[in-house]
Amino acid sequence: MSTDATTTSASRAQRLDRLPFTREHGRLVVGSGLGWALDAMDVGLISFVMAALAVQWSLTPTELSWIGSIGFVGMALGATLGGLLADRIGRRQVFALTLLVFGVATGAAALAWSVASLLVFRFLIGLGLGAELPVASTLVSEYAPARVRGRVVVLLEAFWAVGWLLAALIGYLVVPGSDAGWRWALALGAAPALYAVVVRRGLPESVRFLELRGRTDEAEAAVRRFESAAGVAPVPSAPARPVPAARPGELWAPGSRRRTAALWTVWFGINFAYYGAFIWLPTLLVASGFSLVRSFGFTMLITLAQLPGYAAAAVLIERWGRRPTLVVFLLGSAVGAGLFALAAGDTAVLVTGMALSFFNLGAWGAVYAVTPEVYPTALRATGAGAAAGFGRIASIVAPLCVPPLLAAGGNGLVFGTFAAFFVLAALAGWALPERRGESLDTPVP
């Protein structure tokens, strides 16, 4: 049992920061991460569905682009609204609601009878998905001990690779099986609707949010739950002063505007390059002469490289810090995209694709770790949601840009453009604050 915890008065946030990583932390990461994986599975599936529908429905590149992009229109709106709601009604409630929305909409998309109906369902899916991701990372970051907070959030983000791998497996095994294979694949994405019930009951609400709303008894109970898991005796905490929810305009106040501009640029660059590449990857491989099944198999192998990318970022984010890790992985992504543009032959396509996947997803882990640390508690979810929402604009535009880029300069121009956006994001990433090992309550420099 900790001796200083029983004798030293501390705020509830300090009490959480001092704890070791416990089974309660693990439950929170897994509970949030499973929702994250199911989200990734849905986003990943659409790339395989696009490749199948291009053949079955004889879709034009423009129609395929809109199928790939419309979900991100919903994600842009969902991320912004989700962050605002999370700072007003709580992280847990928004998390469960968004899982329910996109789970039901995904199941409905399996019944789509036309391009127009599929676009409507994809928009609703994006609305739920866009709100979930920044809210989940905010909740986890507010519980994680300060000395391992970055690593814990990267581990949460690693569930994205698990979900995308599930999508690749479903795409490989289910989609090519029959003309209705893509419908069965989307139907599997309805699982989050059931999972939302479990999430709502099992996850704790943010202690910092509860304190800001004057719900001190609930905040104290949540802290004691984590202290009990660590075998630490509770200590008195000073009363927390309720604080009204921050206004979105505060993101651009004199003390915040530089951080906001840098963060939004990172989110825009990484979204443009990632979604432009991976939404179109199976279709581009088919267009390059691969069979549908072979292109799906290559995509699955390239997806596997995401897991070691996350693992490397999880280690380096606490050794190097947030900013160096983010910048290095973004520059590595740029190199990977450039090499993929020049790749000739099956082996070169596979190796360079895996390099791009490794660095790109490691960068995603780092950006999700740094984002909640940029703003104070009252503005945290709003800021994270706004950055994610702005980034989704790039994820809308990128799939639409691929056909004209492809026509103008082939895969070389497409992936060269993605490399340029990775470099832009890396330059902006160096302007973000370094918060390694600091409490979230420490004023942001």
Side-chain angles (χ1 to χ4, degrees):
M1 182 176 296
S2 173
T3 56
D4 64 343
T6 61
T7 59
T8 303
S9 177
S11 69
R12 293 185 183 90
Q14 289 172 331
R15 288 160 60 186
L16 286 174
D17 279 339
R18 294 174 182 177
L19 295 177
F21 189 87
T22 69
R23 66 178 182 276
E24 287 295 334
H25 292 103
R27 187 173 297 140
L28 176 61
V29 171
V30 172
S32 301
L34 288 175
W36 204 294
L38 292 169
D39 291 357
M41 184 175 73
D42 173 82
V43 176
L45 279 175
I46 197 60
S47 65
F48 297 97
V49 170
M50 283 170 56
L53 289 181
V55 176
Q56 290 185 31
W57 288 4
S58 301
L59 300 182
T60 66
T62 299
E63 289 173 321
L64 286 173
S65 295
W66 275 110
I67 291 173
S69 291
I70 193 65
F72 300 117
V73 177
M75 289 176 75
L77 182 61
T80 303
L81 293 178
L84 289 170
L85 286 173
D87 276 335
R88 283 160 176 74
I89 67 174
R91 283 60 159 140
R92 183 178 63 177
Q93 283 84 344
V94 174
F95 184 37
L97 177 63
T98 57
L99 282 171
L100 183 62
V101 168
F102 97 82
V104 171
T106 300
L111 304 175
W113 56 91
S114 66
V115 172
S117 64
L118 183 59
L119 291 177
V120 171
F121 293 133
R122 290 302 305 169
F123 173 80
L124 295 175
I125 290 167
L127 194 67
L129 173 59
E132 189 272 327
L133 299 181
V135 172
S137 62
T138 297
L139 178 62
V140 170
S141 70
E142 290 180 332
Y143 268 102
R147 65 186 175 279
V148 294
R149 185 175 59 242
R151 185 167 298 165
V152 170
V153 176
V154 174
L155 290 175
L156 168 69
E157 230 282 299
F159 279 85
W160 182 271
V162 175
W164 201 283
L165 182 58
L166 287 173
L169 285 170
I170 293 171
Y172 183 73
L173 298 174
V174 177
V175 174
S178 67
D179 286 347
W182 67 270
R183 296 185 184 274
W184 286 109
L186 289 179
L188 292 173
L194 300 175
Y195 177 67
V197 178
V198 179
V199 170
R200 179 63 179 84
R201 291 185 174 184
L203 296 184
E205 182 53 89
S206 164
V207 169
R208 290 173 169 88
F209 169 81
L210 293 171
E211 287 189 327
L212 291 183
R213 293 296 170 270
R215 295 157 61 180
T216 55
D217 289 344
E218 294 175 68
E220 181 64 25
V223 174
R224 293 193 179 201
R225 171 177 164 182
F226 278 73
E227 287 176 332
S228 175
V232 173
V235 297
S237 288
R241 180 175 60 88
V243 176
R247 299 184 303 276
E250 294 179 37
L251 295 173
W252 295 98
S256 303
R257 63 178 59 144
R258 180 175 178 270
R259 300 194 303 272
T260 297
L263 188 63
W264 284 27
T265 302
V266 171
W267 273 88
F268 192 92
I270 196 172
N271 269 277
F272 188 97
Y274 175 76
Y275 286 107
F278 284 91
I279 288 294
W280 273 93
L281 185 59
T283 304
L284 290 176
L285 290 175
V286 170
S288 298
F290 289 82
S291 68
L292 191 66
V293 173
R294 187 166 175 78
S295 73
F296 287 1
F298 266 51
T299 302
M300 185 169 61
L301 292 174
I302 289 171
T303 301
L304 278 172
Q306 296 180 8
L307 292 172
Y310 281 124
V315 172
L316 295 174
I317 200 132
E318 299 296 356
R319 291 186 180 177
W320 289 357
R322 280 74 163 131
R323 190 166 53 197
T325 302
L326 175 61
V327 170
V328 167
F329 275 82
L330 285 170
L331 292 177
S333 300
V335 173
L339 292 175
F340 189 85
L342 301 173
D346 290 4
T347 301
V349 167
L350 185 59
V351 171
T352 57
M354 292 179 74
L356 172 60
S357 186
F358 174 92
F359 284 106
N360 198 346
L361 276 297
W364 270 113
V367 80
Y368 269 106
V370 74
T371 297
E373 300 178 343
V374 171
Y375 301 106
T377 298
L379 196 60
R380 184 166 297 125
T382 297
F390 183 75
R392 298 306 175 193
I393 296 174
S395 61
I396 297 165
V397 174
L400 295 172
C401 288
V402 169
L405 288 173
L406 199 61
N411 284 347
L413 180 59
V414 170
F415 283 89
T417 302
F418 297 153
F421 274 91
F422 280 130
V423 172
L424 174 66
L427 293 173
W430 200 252
L432 294 172
E434 177 57 62
R435 304 295 307 278
R436 179 179 57 167
E438 295 181 6
S439 170
L440 286 176
D441 300 302
T442 302
V444 183

